[in-house]
Amino acid sequence: MLKGLTTAALTAALLAGTAMTATAQEYTIRATANSNDNDEDYDGLVVFKNYVESASNGAIAVELFIGTQLCSGGAECLQGVADGSIDVFVTTSGGAAGIFPYVQVLDLPYLMSSDRVAEAVLSGDFTRTMRDMALASSGDTIRVMTIGNTGGWRNFANTQHRVTKPEDLAGLKIRTVVADLPQELVKALGASPTPISWPELFTSLQTGVVEGSKNGITDIMNMKFPEAGLKYLTLDGHAYMGAIWVMNNENFLSMPEDMRRVVVDGFAELQQATFASPKRKSIQAYEDFVAAGGDLYVPTPEEKEAFRAAAEPVYSWFQENVEGGPEIFEALTTAVSEAEADLDTAYSSDLN
């Protein structure tokens, strides 16, 4: 919660020997992530804290709560943001879908083809559209500040065999989150969606309750899933693992414009840090996966198009069944088209 310190409190702090910066601390931002210090979310928060505290000349202090100290799970944490007991929280689309169902648009498969496209899309008006929708849905309490990355790209991994085409997924029990869209995708590809909580996934793979999952390589290796039998990984890159950073809207707007600018710039720095972090961490993760006996397969462009075609019914399902689906789908696909056009123009210049 953003707090003003009284003159008495400042005096007491000085008498106690607390070092004060050139500008007295006026605001505190309490930020939490249900992760650990090996996660991209943590990397982003460290950059955010350093930038905001420095750029505000000490007027803003950022307190980090990593793990479940303040809340556990998307619904509880988002409620904390809404009521102002938490200032900043990061959630995946799965964690927020119960409150903001349209954020599942980030899980729609094969719409964003590369990091360059995804990063351009998430840095522009698409995120502002999602912000406006979330503010309307939450009664102007929850503000989307930015969308970063948490783990790279989702790929299909399994314990049974190499997957090179959609038909290879037929019948496999694939772990999903409880949200509807990932289950619809798995069904469209002929596999059997099996909702399993994240902490239970290792044992579920080990015992055959599920035979596969949709994860990024850093999550796979951090959780030691190859030891549970997860040996086959197909780099189909069906979904960019977006991380939605939200802030209590009232607390944000209560700051003067110069401090709001610092916070906005801080989230831009955070976003860039989370874009970069998975790229670096994935290098060693892929090497470790192969060293542990893992089978790594990169689909050809033709094979990837076959996956996209098989998954296409999910686009219609999303627009027909998800509240706000048509609006957010249009915003995403428009942003993707614009990003691809800009990239094509850049290639025309850079390759010649």
Side-chain angles (χ1 to χ4, degrees):
M1 188 178 297
L2 303 176
K3 307 170 185 175
L5 295 179
T6 65
T7 302
L10 290 171
T11 302
L14 286 169
L15 291 175
T18 301
M20 301 298 291
T21 56
T23 300
Q25 179 189 325
E26 300 176 55
Y27 308 98
T28 299
I29 294 176
R30 289 160 56 88
T32 188
N34 295 157
S35 53
N36 56 57
D37 58 11
N38 292 318
D39 196 88
E40 292 82 7
D41 301 339
Y42 176 76
D43 294 344
L45 279 175
V46 170
V47 170
F48 176 79
K49 173 180 171 67
N50 179 74
Y51 180 87
V52 169
E53 291 182 343
S54 298
S56 70
N57 202 25
I60 304 173
V62 179
E63 298 178 353
L64 305 185
F65 298 86
I66 307 302
T68 57
Q69 300 173 68
L70 299 185
C71 59
S72 59
E76 180 185 353
C77 297
L78 288 168
Q79 182 58 51
V81 174
D83 64 31
S85 61
I86 298 168
D87 293 307
V88 170
F89 173 62
V90 57
T91 180
T92 60
S93 56
I99 300 173
F100 308 120
Y102 42 82
V103 301
Q104 294 179 86
V105 72
L106 294 172
D107 289 329
L108 284 174
Y110 309 112
L111 289 182
M112 296 189 287
S113 58
S114 68
D115 283 318
R116 293 186 71 179
V117 170
E119 290 168 12
V121 167
L122 300 181
S123 299
D125 285 339
F126 166 75
T127 296
R128 297 182 180 98
T129 297
M130 186 176 287
R131 174 186 305 148
D132 292 342
M133 294 176 70
L135 283 169
S137 299
S138 66
D140 284 335
T141 61
I142 297 177
R143 183 184 188 91
V144 175
M145 301 302 297
T146 193
I147 303 175
N149 184 260
T150 180
W153 292 82
R154 291 192 187 279
N155 299 295
F156 283 106
N158 77 93
T159 62
Q160 301 300 304
H161 53 248
R162 175 182 284 190
V163 170
T164 66
K165 54 187 180 299
E167 291 79 5
D168 294 334
L169 290 168
L172 289 180
K173 294 175 288 185
I174 302 294
R175 180 263 178 181
T176 68
V177 296
V178 176
D180 291 334
L181 191 146
Q183 296 182 55
E184 290 296 323
L185 169 60
V186 169
K187 286 191 289 187
L189 295 175
S192 175
T194 309
I196 296 287
S197 69
W198 184 247
E200 296 174 355
L201 182 51
F202 184 96
T203 301
S204 297
L205 288 166
Q206 198 172 44
T207 58
V209 173
V210 294
E211 298 162 314
S213 188
K214 292 160 23 65
N215 293 114
I217 186 61
T218 54
D219 286 338
I220 287 171
M221 298 312 295
N222 286 342
M223 296 298 288
K224 304 184 186 303
F225 288 152
E227 296 179 14
L230 201 69
K231 296 293 186 181
Y232 301 93
L233 179 60
T234 298
L235 302 186
D236 67 303
H238 57 268
Y240 189 76
M241 296 177 67
I244 305 166
W245 293 83
V246 298
M247 184 171 182
N248 177 274
N249 189 48
E250 181 179 358
N251 291 347
F252 173 74
L253 293 177
S254 71
M255 290 186 286
E257 183 174 334
D258 60 336
M259 293 295 101
R260 295 201 303 272
R261 182 183 295 270
V262 167
V263 172
V264 167
D265 288 344
F267 276 109
E269 297 286 326
L270 174 153
Q271 183 191 51
Q272 290 301 312
T274 66
F275 284 164
S277 182
K279 296 183 181 74
R280 179 182 63 81
K281 292 177 178 177
S282 66
I283 296 171
Q284 188 63 51
Y286 281 123
E287 291 178 357
D288 292 344
F289 180 80
V290 173
D295 181 88
L296 199 62
Y297 184 74
V298 180
T300 66
E302 293 77 16
E303 288 169 337
K304 191 165 181 177
E305 173 57 25
F307 280 103
R308 190 208 62 77
E312 194 165 309
V314 180
Y315 306 154
S316 297
W317 176 90
F318 178 81
Q319 295 178 80
E320 294 167 1
N321 292 278
V322 174
E323 181 183 353
E327 178 182 353
I328 200 70
F329 182 81
E330 175 67 20
L332 179 58
T333 53
T334 297
V336 168
S337 295
E338 292 172 352
E340 290 176 339
D342 289 344
L343 192 55
D344 286 343
T345 300
Y347 279 135
S348 296
S349 175
D350 296 340
L351 298 180
N352 297 293

